[in-house]
Amino acid sequence: MKYFGLFLFWTAASVFAQSDTTAVPMEEVIVTGQFSPRSIRKSVFNVKTISREQINALAAVTLADVLNQYLNITVTPSNTSGRSTVSLFGLDGQYFKILVDNVPLVSENGLGNNIDLTQINLDLIERIEIVEGSMGVTHGANAVSGILNLITKRSQATKTTIDASVQEETVGREYGLMHKGRHIQRLRVSQRFSDAVSGGFLANRNIFRGFQNQFKGKNHAINDGLRGYEWLPKTQNNFGVFLNYKRNSLIINYKFDYLLETLSLFNRVVFAVNNPPFEPTLLSADTRFQTQRQLHLAQLGSNVLGKYPLAVSFSYQNQRRDRSNFQYNHNTDSEQAADTRKDQGSDLWYSTGTLSKIRTGKQIEHQFGYEAVRNLGFSLVSAENNLEQVVEKSISNADLFWSAESDITPKLQIRTGFRYSFQDRFDNQIATSAQFKVRLHARSELRFGYGRSYRTPNFEELYSQIIFSGHYFVGNPNLVPETSHAADLGNQTRYKLGNVSIQSGIQTQFLFVNDRISMALVETSPMVKSEYINISKYQMQNISITNSMQWQNLQVQAGLSVIGISQELQNGEAISSDTFLYSVLANFSATYQFKKSNSSFAVFYKYTGRQQQFQATTNEAGEATYDVATLSDFGWLDATFTKNFKSGVSVGIGARNILDVGSINQSNPNAGGVHSAGSGVLLGYGRSYFLKLSYLLNI
């Protein structure tokens, strides 16, 4: 607790520092939510950034590697599906929108939401911009808890750049060049063809051989329940092409990205088929999931009449997952009786555009924009009588939005906005916002605002079916969009103490979600039927404190966040309490540059406090009720040392999950009793080590 008190004192000192201190210059330029690129401190929104240097210091390969250390974001990995998903302020990935250069990414059943973070490669990413809170006006449906914008690198300083690396990692205590560990190879080549034209390509291969732990792997042929893996093997191949043109105010960019991912699921059961006069044939019923995603993105930027910035994006994206069921023959190490079917998919046509800085009077600038979406979804569902049924539906919308910024006084800036969304499946929706920035003095700003947004039901909630043995778990085409209201208040301050530069911030946020969609029991006779319905409510309150310090070659960042969540859950049998349940998050990072040896050392730590939520159960009388389930706290520590050589070679060594986190205890309400039953939730596979060799050639 003494460190907590010191942390609060540091923040208080920074926020209320005396005005005779020297302002720290802040030249970082951002684009998310802006009319045009501008300094981060001039933005009405509180935009947070993750730089390319921070990504490199983490030796991050995918977005999951980076966000694992972000303060208010929780990354949840799955050892059975291979996916890593995100939640912000306790709301899952359906409420948080992920974009590339302001264009949302497609997933199997969403647009910009429910993205598997391990499928997002960071090779071309220059920085990551994050805005917490409602962004429905600028970014449309499902930008309820916030947005994350991946900004790609487009400038080419040298004529030719070749960037290649090889990265080898242990997976817990397991490693081998061929059959164990994690193996990553990447190559990026870029070329400046002229002063106006540049382009290139990239290729990346990320092989995760799985984590066996107590299990025996694919070739284990004894029916003792030990076949397979604790964390499933997965292989990802990425290939991309990019082309950029810039002359005067005209900018044209094109990007193509292709992902091929293979996830293997090995059945624990080994069964024997008699094959006289030979030995019995040993078989296992295995499954392989193959995901393909392609992205085409064309963007145009110019100045209309030489003074009104125009930005237009067109994108075609397709993602599909194929499921192959087959029998693995242990005797011959071969596959037989394979049945491959398309399992899930999305086919997306998307366009958005803005025309900005249209003035009415001297003080007010306007932005007008549109968004058009057509998403054709596909799913293979489990219908009655154990039959599989194809569901293919399209969901479309056409939106118009407007924002206006005004410098009311030299110290007061206001931005308001409105979006109207024409929906083909639901009632038309609106989003509104009002943001304020007050410049307290040259080194401090106060920001506050309100936003109304909405979340449209996803494909699974609308059309899913899981039917077996008289039990129905089905989607509901009659769902209505959820609506949300958010408010925030924050202060950012920069100052210097001698040759120490400090930046501090404190922010509080509130979020309310109505008509929240949940699976609930709707019938008990003649059969048990559960269906997605609009039934729940959600409230969130948060206060967070962030600090960063730079002294000579040392950079330090620290943050603390307290999140309170109130949910009124209903499942058709019981209603939960709406009591607020609180959790604490904290993070810390430090990077030191050894200038003489051209090397650096970085350490990252994140603490996730005890998390609680209400869970359906029964009491001693056998009556349906809700009780609190608790997930224990844990800490995640990473460290990296990097040495750069004049030849362009760099060597990085480090460790992930140094505290050896594996399974975290979760106390669950014990049905029919007053005591809790414990269970484990897998979050990691233990301490791992990595070695990265890189080569950068600029010609």
Side-chain angles (χ1 to χ4, degrees), residues 499-515:
N499 59 352
V500 179
S501 300
I502 297 176
Q503 301 180 35
S504 296
I506 182 168
Q507 186 172 20
T508 183
Q509 295 166 300
F510 303 90
L511 177 63
F512 306 87
V513 179
N514 298 317
D515 293 323

Side-chain angles (χ1 to χ4, degrees), residues 410-641:
K411 293 189 175 183
L412 175 61
Q413 185 179 355
I414 298 178
R415 176 166 173 166
T416 58
F418 179 82
R419 173 183 286 248
Y420 193 87
S421 178
F422 299 90
Q423 300 277 334
D424 72 333
R425 294 279 173 183
F426 319 106
D427 291 340
N428 296 341
Q429 299 295 306
I430 63 170
T432 59
S433 66
Q435 292 290 136
F436 303 84
K437 180 171 75 74
V438 180
R439 187 166 65 89
L440 301 179
H441 41 75
R443 56 185 171 78
S444 182
E445 301 90 36
L446 179 71
R447 292 176 173 87
F448 57 96
Y450 161 82
R452 181 189 190 277
S453 191
Y454 57 95
R455 183 183 82 83
T456 54
N458 61 37
F459 197 85
E460 177 183 351
E461 293 166 336
L462 291 168
Y463 305 115
S464 65
Q465 291 185 37
I466 303 176
I467 302 173
F468 64 95
S469 303
H471 289 74
Y472 279 59
F473 298 90
V474 296
N476 181 0
N478 297 316
L479 291 170
V480 300
E482 302 175 3
T483 57
S484 67
H485 302 269
D488 64 273
L489 170 66
N491 172 265
Q492 289 77 40
T493 300
R494 301 163 302 282
Y495 64 104
K496 293 193 73 172
L497 297 175
N499 59 352
V500 179
S501 300
I502 297 176
Q503 301 180 35
S504 296
I506 182 168
Q507 186 172 20
T508 183
Q509 295 166 300
F510 303 90
L511 177 63
F512 306 87
V513 179
N514 298 317
D515 293 323
R516 198 172 182 208
I517 299 169
S518 298
M519 178 69 75
L521 181 68
V522 294
E523 292 181 15
T524 58
S525 179
M527 63 192 70
V528 177
K529 181 179 180 181
S530 294
E531 184 179 53
Y532 283 108
I533 58 176
N534 296 93
I535 195 171
S536 301
K537 295 181 180 180
Y538 182 94
Q539 298 181 58
M540 185 281 303
Q541 49 191 230
N542 163 254
I543 183 169
S544 57
I545 303 166
T546 56
N547 287 274
S548 64
M549 179 199 74
Q550 182 166 348
W551 174 67
Q552 296 182 358
N553 300 330
L554 176 66
Q555 291 182 325
V556 177
Q557 294 181 328
L560 177 70
S561 178
V562 179
I563 301 174
I565 296 173
S566 167
Q567 301 185 74
E568 183 186 90
L569 301 175
Q570 300 184 42
N571 61 6
E573 296 181 299
I575 302 176
S576 73
S577 168
D578 60 357
T579 300
F580 273 92
L581 302 175
Y582 290 90
S583 61
V584 176
L585 300 169
N587 67 352
F588 172 86
S589 67
T591 303
Y592 189 83
Q593 303 284 341
F594 301 92
K595 297 292 186 181
K596 290 185 178 180
S597 62
N598 198 16
S599 59
S600 64
F601 176 75
V603 60
F604 302 86
Y605 174 74
K606 182 177 179 182
Y607 171 75
T608 302
R610 182 188 69 173
Q611 300 175 71
Q612 294 182 307
Q613 64 179 4
F614 285 100
Q615 193 174 93
T617 184
T618 57
N619 58 23
E620 291 181 300
E623 299 169 331
T625 186
Y626 279 89
D627 206 348
V628 175
T630 302
L631 183 67
S632 298
D633 63 338
F634 65 95
W636 197 278
L637 178 64
D638 301 331
T640 306
F641 176 79

Side-chain angles (χ1 to χ4, degrees), residues 1 16 26 34 104 113 246 325 364 427 467 469 478 528 592 602:
M1 292 301 293
F16 300 107
M26 194 124 178
Q34 313 305 312
N113 307 98
K246 181 178 181 180
N325 294 322
I364 303 177
D427 291 340
I467 302 173
S469 303
N478 297 316
V528 177
Y592 189 83

